[in-house]
Amino acid sequence: MKLKKVFSVLLASAVMLGALTGCGSEKEEAKDADVIKIGVFLPLTGDNAAGGELELRGIKLAHERYNEVLGKKVELVVGDNKSDKAEAASVAARLIERDKVTAIVGSYGSSLSMAAGSIVKESKVPAIGTSCTNPQVTANNDYYFRACFIDPFQGTVMANYAYNQGYRKVAIVQEVSNDYSVGLSKFFREAFTKLTNDNECIVDVANYQTGDKDFTAVLTNLKAQNPDAVFAPGNFTESALLIKQARQLGIDVTFMGGDTWETQEFIDVGGKEVEGAVLSTAFDRDKASTEEAQIFLKAYVDEYKAEPSALSALGYDAYLIAINGIKNANSTDPQKVRDAIAATKDMEAVTGKTTLDENGDAIKAAVIKTVKDGKFTYLDFVDVK
């Protein structure tokens, strides 16, 4: 009798626990139904952390302003891809499979975005890149879009700048383990060769690896070629060290790069030696022509007591593309959201009115800046022709 009684008590307890658990699950499901989740995957630690943090600032500011769509709250689910390709794929998969996000924003770094490309494509969840400019990010991938211009345009912008400055012999130094650096170097070389009509205009192409700190051998060989200027797109830390060591070796020519340089770390690491460095980027206060840009500028300065870089502006814009996609789709179904994002046309954004082309790439103008008195300073504006 006692055994039966004990068994009955245990059975009743199990039934009650199951009921309570079921209640909890139902509450969780109801809670999930009340929010729309947007995944964010950025390098918040590792070599690219400074760039990822700047983009996250922009995403958070956009989320503060647009935190509701379709009558539901928007929740950001932030994942750190740790500046690592394998981790980027893992984080993207986790956001989709575990967190059930409707769309993904990220990443800083073309290599990191490309590493997640097959994940979003196979899962059919749209992703909007922030500053990943390599064409391969969106190539043959109907689920990857981007808020930024692409490297064929950026490379041409800088080739035109070099040519217009009277440079005719340019050396290239590329971070050979970085898809962004290699791709941008290629497009610069093609455009500059066409402009000069001289197959010998690139006097040297030197390689280094991500994480390198001593560039003596590379620079010694480069100096012997006596270039008019150097095009050296790469990560901000390595690029700043490269320029610093070049100055110490007596190489006084102009160093040119791309949008990854626009971080405070580039100036902090390079110090006075990076004065005069020239870069292409996507945003500057002097060309902030939209109402959204003015809202962003005020919010950023109020929050961070500093001028924003293009990375923060692009983070903001990538979030806007996602939100507008959900709104225009009138649905949280990833496929419908994907189709609405693909149809983005003349969307008012911080970096200008944004239209996505047939490849999912933003048609955007470029800004050229230089480092002057320890600050990134506007030089020129290059519109899309």
Side-chain angles (χ1 to χ4, degrees):
M1 272 305 277
K2 287 183 179 179
L3 187 59
K4 283 185 178 180
K5 190 173 182 180
V6 170
F7 180 75
S8 298
V9 171
L10 289 172
L11 182 60
S13 298
V15 170
M16 186 172 288
L17 182 62
L20 288 171
T21 303
C23 251
S25 298
E26 287 172 8
K27 285 180 180 177
E28 286 300 318
E29 287 174 8
K31 181 183 176 184
D32 285 346
D34 289 337
V35 301
I36 295 172
K37 295 181 179 180
I38 293 181
V40 177
F41 90 115
L42 293 170
L44 302 177
T45 55
D47 292 336
N48 299 317
E53 286 289 352
L54 286 174
E55 292 187 350
L56 185 58
R57 286 183 178 187
I59 293 166
K60 285 182 173 179
L61 285 178
H63 177 250
E64 285 174 15
R65 178 165 169 77
Y66 302 101
N67 56 21
E68 189 174 308
V69 66
L70 306 184
K72 297 180 180 181
K73 290 292 183 184
V74 178
E75 177 185 333
L76 290 181
V77 184
V78 181
D80 176 14
N81 60 42
K82 302 179 182 178
S83 307
D84 180 81
K85 294 179 187 178
E87 188 66 23
S90 178
V91 169
R94 190 160 62 245
L95 289 170
I96 293 167
E97 295 166 12
R98 186 192 69 186
D99 299 308
K100 309 297 182 187
V101 299
T102 296
I104 293 174
V105 174
S107 173
Y108 172 95
S110 295
S111 295
L112 300 172
S113 296
M114 288 159 64
S118 61
I119 303 296
V120 301
K121 184 177 182 179
E122 291 167 11
S123 302
K124 297 185 176 181
V125 172
I128 304 99
T130 39
S131 63
C132 43
T133 52
N134 189 296
Q136 293 304 310
V137 172
T138 57
N140 302 312
N141 192 336
D142 291 339
Y143 287 84
Y144 227 120
F145 305 88
R146 71 179 108 215
C148 55
F149 51 53
I150 58 174
D151 286 333
F153 175 64
Q154 183 173 203
T156 300
V157 165
M158 292 311 293
N160 274 286
Y161 173 82
Y163 185 81
N164 291 337
Q165 291 298 305
Y167 307 144
R168 294 298 181 267
K169 301 293 182 182
V170 174
I172 292 175
V173 184
Q174 59 186 8
E175 189 177 337
V176 73
S177 50
N178 182 334
D179 293 314
Y180 160 85
S181 179
V182 173
L184 185 49
S185 296
K186 171 182 176 288
F187 295 119
F188 174 90
R189 180 175 188 166
E190 290 173 353
F192 193 66
T193 300
K194 186 176 180 180
L195 285 167
T196 60
N197 194 30
D198 178 9
N199 290 329
E200 305 299 320
C201 64
I202 303 299
V203 296
D204 188 30
V205 178
N207 299 327
Y208 67 91
Q209 297 286 335
T210 304
D212 283 357
K213 291 182 171 55
D214 184 356
F215 302 96
T216 305
V218 165
L219 292 168
T220 300
N221 290 334
L222 183 152
K223 185 178 181 181
Q225 302 303 318
N226 195 31
D228 298 332
V230 179
F231 187 63
N235 193 28
F236 44 84
T237 302
E238 288 86 347
S239 296
L241 287 172
L242 175 78
I243 298 171
K244 192 170 188 175
Q245 291 173 30
R247 301 303 185 221
Q248 292 165 355
L249 287 171
I251 302 172
D252 295 326
V253 300
T254 299
F255 274 75
M256 303 174 293
D259 54 318
T260 52
W261 285 9
E262 199 185 1
T263 68
Q264 186 58 42
E265 282 70 13
F266 177 78
I267 293 173
D268 291 345
V269 172
K272 61 181 175 50
E273 282 86 359
V274 296
E275 287 281 312
V278 178
L279 62 144
S280 49
T281 185
F283 178 75
D284 186 82
R285 177 182 285 277
D286 287 355
K287 289 295 177 179
S289 58
T290 67
E291 183 181 343
E292 200 67 51
Q294 299 307 315
I295 292 167
F296 164 75
L297 282 165
K298 184 179 186 309
Y300 193 96
V301 173
D302 287 349
E303 180 70 22
Y304 298 107
K305 314 303 179 196
E307 284 294 306
S309 80
L311 298 177
S312 297
L314 289 169
Y316 190 105
D317 284 356
Y319 178 87
L320 285 190
I321 292 171
I323 284 291
N324 273 283
I326 295 168
K327 179 183 176 182
N328 293 335
N330 194 29
S331 172
T332 57
D333 175 68
Q335 180 62 58
K336 292 180 180 178
V337 173
R338 178 260 162 224
D339 293 345
I341 289 172
T344 299
K345 184 177 181 180
D346 292 334
M347 186 197 83
E348 184 168 294
V350 175
T351 56
K353 286 195 174 182
T354 297
T355 295
L356 300 183
D357 68 13
E358 66 275 9
N359 298 314
D361 300 328
I363 303 168
K364 289 281 179 75
V367 174
I368 298 176
K369 293 184 179 181
T370 187
V371 179
K372 183 179 179 182
D373 300 327
K375 294 180 180 179
F376 294 105
T377 305
Y378 175 82
L379 272 183
D380 199 6
F381 177 80
V382 183
D383 208 346
V384 179
K385 293 181 180 179

